[in-house]
Amino acid sequence: METNDTLQVDVDKVLADKNPGLARLLPRFVKAYLKKIVHQDEVNYVLRSFSHQPPVGFVRSTLDYMEITHRAVGLERLSLDGRYLFASNHPFGGMDGMMLCDELDNYFGSSRIIVNDILMNLKPLAPLFIPVNKHGRQNSDYAQRFRATLAGNEQIATFPAGLCSRRIKGSVCDLPWKPSFVKNAIESRRDIVPVYFEGKLSNFFYNLSSIRTTLGIKANIEMLYLADEMFSQRGRHFDIYFGEPVPWQRLATGEPPVRLAQQIREQAYALRPAHR
């Protein structure tokens, strides 16, 4: 990615910057394939067209461009004066975060979402993000921002699985939820709201993930296809289900956070409509 008048995606430049030797060796058709699966032209159109807007405006314009609609179910039961930590399943690996922020901003007026700090490179969305380093030492500025946001009054969303859902024993679901969100809720005295997103990615994505895992390949090569998976959702509608808040006092009883995280994960999946 580079910055001119606006942020742009340039696969050729990324390859040349990250691995010049590999960039020289890769055949032209391989580079063309990479540009296709990351939807370079379409992503750049979105960036050129909407990145001048504030973050939520960018989100809404992007979803409108993709003809994606969504509806909140149960959000109206929550108090506008509450301080919540929304814990959601993660079927899409990005688009779900956009829809969730849109719904929370529409209802509460503002929201933030906890993300891997790598996503701070998405400049149009960066003001919505609470960055954390999931693979190393936390940046001190990010850590201070994280603590300050938790202590504030904005609504906060998180995807405790970290990665998007995979097919596990024949069923598409999240990986185990990491318990840090429970600890964060207790420390910041925020009630946790379980959230369930309907929807899934393609069989190709899940099969590729299964094959990679079987072969013992640690690099998540299927993540290259997330942009392609997102654009394949064009024209669809999604319902987002919000459960009853779990009071932070109920979590602060000394029960292991891992067990509490599992219980809240189960509550989120229990929101799934019976007919689906």
Side-chain angles (χ1 to χ4, degrees), residues 193-221:
V193 178
V195 181
Y196 176 78
F197 266 91
E198 63 175 359
K200 60 182 179 179
L201 302 181
S202 68
N203 287 330
F204 170 81
F205 181 89
Y206 299 126
N207 291 339
L208 180 60
S209 176
S210 296
I211 292 170
R212 173 187 65 80
T213 303
T214 300
L215 294 176
I217 301 173
K218 293 184 178 180
N220 292 332
I221 56 177

Side-chain angles (χ1 to χ4, degrees), residues 90-96 164-167 172 198-207 222-223 225-233 236 238:
H90 202 16
F92 301 120
M95 191 175 69
D96 37 16
C164 67
S165 304
R166 299 296 196 269
R167 181 182 285 125
V172 174
E198 63 175 359
K200 60 182 179 179
L201 302 181
S202 68
N203 287 330
F204 170 81
F205 181 89
Y206 299 126
N207 291 339
E222 65 269 20
M223 302 298 280
Y225 291 88
L226 273 183
D228 192 53
E229 294 287 337
M230 182 179 75
F231 280 104
S232 72
Q233 308 293 329
R236 296 192 60 194
F238 300 97

Side-chain angles (χ1 to χ4, degrees), residues 22-90:
L22 177 62
R24 287 192 296 269
L25 292 173
L26 281 179
R28 184 176 299 176
F29 76 89
V30 173
K31 294 179 182 179
Y33 178 72
L34 290 173
K35 293 175 185 177
K36 178 181 178 181
I37 64 170
V38 302
H39 289 252
Q40 176 174 293
D41 291 342
E42 199 161 14
V43 168
N44 284 339
Y45 172 81
V46 168
L47 291 171
R48 286 194 305 271
S49 301
F50 310 134
S51 61
H52 65 282
Q53 299 180 8
V56 175
F58 177 86
V59 165
R60 290 171 180 164
S61 293
T62 301
L63 293 175
D64 285 345
Y65 168 73
M66 295 176 62
E67 301 175 358
I68 287 174
T69 59
H70 51 89
R71 177 179 69 115
V73 179
L75 186 58
E76 72 283 353
R77 297 194 303 265
L78 300 181
S79 169
L80 290 172
D81 297 325
R83 294 174 64 253
Y84 301 115
L85 179 59
F86 293 83
S88 175
N89 68 318
H90 202 16

Side-chain angles (χ1 to χ4, degrees), residues 92-131:
F92 301 120
M95 191 175 69
D96 37 16
M98 295 172 69
M99 290 187 281
L100 184 54
C101 279
D102 187 10
E103 290 290 355
L104 296 180
D105 189 89
N106 184 57
Y107 186 70
F108 290 103
S110 65
S111 64
R112 303 287 294 280
I113 186 167
I114 298 172
V115 301
N116 189 313
D117 60 359
I118 294 174
L119 293 181
M120 294 301 287
N121 291 307
L122 298 175
K123 302 300 183 184
L125 296 177
L128 289 175
F129 295 159
I130 309 171

